[in-house]
Amino acid sequence: MLSIGTLAKRTGAKVQTIRYYEQIGLMPEPGRTEGGQRRYGNAGLDRLAFIRHSRELGFSLEAIRELLDLSDSPERSCAQIDAVAQRQLQEVEARITRLKALRIELQRMLSECSADRVADCRILEVLRDHEECLSNHDGTGI
Amino acid sequence: MLSIGTLAKRTGAKVQTIRYYEQIGLMPEPGRTEGGQRRYGNAGLDRLAFIRHSRELGFSLEAIRELLDLSDSPERSCAQIDAVAQRQLQEVEARITRLKALRIELQRMLSECSADRVADCRILEVLRDHEECLSNHDGTGI
DNA sequence: CTGATTGCTACAGCCATTGTAGATTTCGTC
DNA sequence: GACGAAATCTACAATGGCTGTAGCAATCAG
């Protein structure tokens, strides 16, 4: 049987994070020693590894909860799992698009400023006045 | 004189957000009516617009605080302002790099799964087993 | 057996808001 | 001036996804 610290080491999660996952019902309550310490089996380790790997790929805890629920019905169609992953891909793509617009704006801001004094700094001017921006970067999907 | 709701409409910030900025010292305490409601001048409006626009470009409130402090000394060199913007650009670039790696992984996952049953779903397999990934997407800089 | 390490609970804090409840003030209209 | 709708006020809780802390208790190696 594995202690919580062992699970933490093997998956890269912090001990508190594992307890947090248990608290929100993402990890099941494990068995305990006589002294009250958590002891996990391989199922616990696998589940935590699944959660951590999904987090690394950017899935929200809610999405992961959905995936875990779906994986409990192996005979069902995997269309829903596909949909969750598809949604995640779309979110990632949206974020990339937005960040690229920001990058362009920041680059332009930086390239335009060759002032010495703060008073003449183009960067501050651009930040003061949205109209000077090329894209609208209107905050949708930060 | 402008009410907090007017500032909100003009800048796109929520009323509560403006009060929050005041609470953390990013917006100054404005004058009040006899009845205790906030009233702003143009300086307040400009400052809020600066904050919102900087937020839209992804600057943290701490970075914005720094920029606002720096802009109060117009005779100083604007090298520090440049550095803040440069730092922000680097962060944006790092996030783009990371998201691109995630995108590739998600795309590959999706393209590989053509199963019908959850039991055979490649997506779940990949999520279960990090080893199946090409990149390491090790969580540095989510 | 002892001391270091690890684990326990309960709670607070992080960022940047957003939402809520219940009271008060302001504004437009009559 | 009176009325009612809209806006504003304070104070506090919640969001997501953890992370850190304090003050104990249990476990493990030597």
Side-chain angles (χ1 to χ4, degrees), chain A:
Chain A
M1 299 300 267
L2 311 161
S3 73
I4 195 168
T6 309
L7 251 72
K9 257 173 224 151
R10 297 236 195 126
T11 61
K14 296 253 160 94
V15 167
Q16 294 104 308
T17 306
I18 302 173
R19 288 198 282 246
Y20 168 72
Y21 289 161
E22 181 183 325
Q23 199 188 312
I24 61 168
L26 209 56
M27 286 290 286
E29 287 184 31
R32 302 266 185 157
T33 62
E34 284 190 15
Q37 301 197 352
R38 291 168 179 79
R39 284 302 118 99
Y40 297 87
N42 279 325
L45 179 60
D46 290 348
R47 192 175 174 97
L48 182 57
F50 182 96
I51 296 171
R52 291 312 295 173
H53 193 204
S54 303
R55 285 294 298 138
E56 279 169 19
L57 286 167
F59 288 89
S60 70
L61 293 184
E62 261 334 284
I64 294 169
R65 198 190 295 275
E66 202 176 341
L67 290 171
L68 284 166
D69 286 351
L70 289 168
S71 74
D72 282 341
S73 6
E75 291 309 319
R76 279 184 36 195
S77 149
C78 76
Q80 274 180 275
I81 289 168
D82 213 79
V84 174
Q86 199 72 253
R87 212 168 58 206
Q88 178 60 18
L89 175 59
Q90 272 160 24
E91 262 171 50
V92 166
E93 280 173 348
R95 266 188 264 172
I96 290 174
T97 304
R98 163 139 177 86
L99 286 171
K100 278 185 175 172
L102 293 193
R103 179 171 61 183
I104 286 169
E105 219 57 70
L106 288 166
Q107 279 167 342
R108 206 168 58 89
M109 218 166 71
L110 278 159
S111 73
E112 278 186 12
C113 185
S114 53
D116 285 336
R117 292 161 57 242
V118 165
D120 309 319
C121 182
R122 275 291 290 160
I123 293 171
L124 290 181
E125 272 178 58
V126 174
L127 289 175
R128 266 194 286 270
D129 191 1
H130 187 127
E131 302 304 311
E132 302 201 33
C133 285
L134 295 178
S135 67
N136 50 348
H137 56 75
D138 48 15
T140 50
I142 279 190

Side-chain angles (χ1 to χ4, degrees), chain B:
Chain B
M1 299 300 268
L2 310 162
S3 73
I4 195 169
T6 309
L7 250 74
K9 259 173 224 152
R10 297 236 196 126
T11 61
K14 294 256 160 91
V15 167
Q16 295 104 307
T17 308
I18 302 172
R19 288 197 281 249
Y20 167 72
Y21 289 161
E22 180 183 327
Q23 200 189 307
I24 61 168
L26 210 55
M27 286 289 286
E29 287 184 30
R32 301 266 184 157
T33 62
E34 286 189 13
Q37 301 196 355
R38 291 167 179 80
R39 285 302 117 99
Y40 296 88
N42 279 324
L45 179 61
D46 291 347
R47 194 176 173 97
L48 182 56
F50 182 96
I51 295 171
R52 291 311 296 174
H53 194 203
S54 303
R55 284 293 297 138
E56 279 169 18
L57 286 167
F59 288 90
S60 71
L61 292 183
E62 262 333 285
I64 295 168
R65 199 190 294 277
E66 203 176 339
L67 290 171
L68 284 166
D69 286 351
L70 290 168
S71 74
D72 282 340
S73 11
E75 292 309 318
R76 280 181 38 194
S77 150
C78 74
Q80 275 180 274
I81 290 169
D82 212 79
V84 175
Q86 199 72 250
R87 211 168 58 207
Q88 179 59 20
L89 176 59
Q90 273 161 23
E91 263 172 51
V92 166
E93 278 172 349
R95 266 188 266 170
I96 290 174
T97 304
R98 163 137 176 90
L99 286 172
K100 279 185 175 172
L102 293 193
R103 180 172 58 183
I104 286 169
E105 220 57 70
L106 288 166
Q107 279 167 342
R108 205 168 59 90
M109 221 166 71
L110 278 158
S111 73
E112 277 185 14
C113 184
S114 52
D116 286 335
R117 290 162 59 244
V118 165
D120 309 318
C121 182
R122 274 291 290 158
I123 294 171
L124 290 181
E125 271 180 58
V126 174
L127 289 175
R128 267 194 285 269
D129 191 0
H130 187 126
E131 301 305 310
E132 303 201 32
C133 285
L134 295 176
S135 67
N136 50 347
H137 57 77
D138 48 14
T140 49
I142 280 188

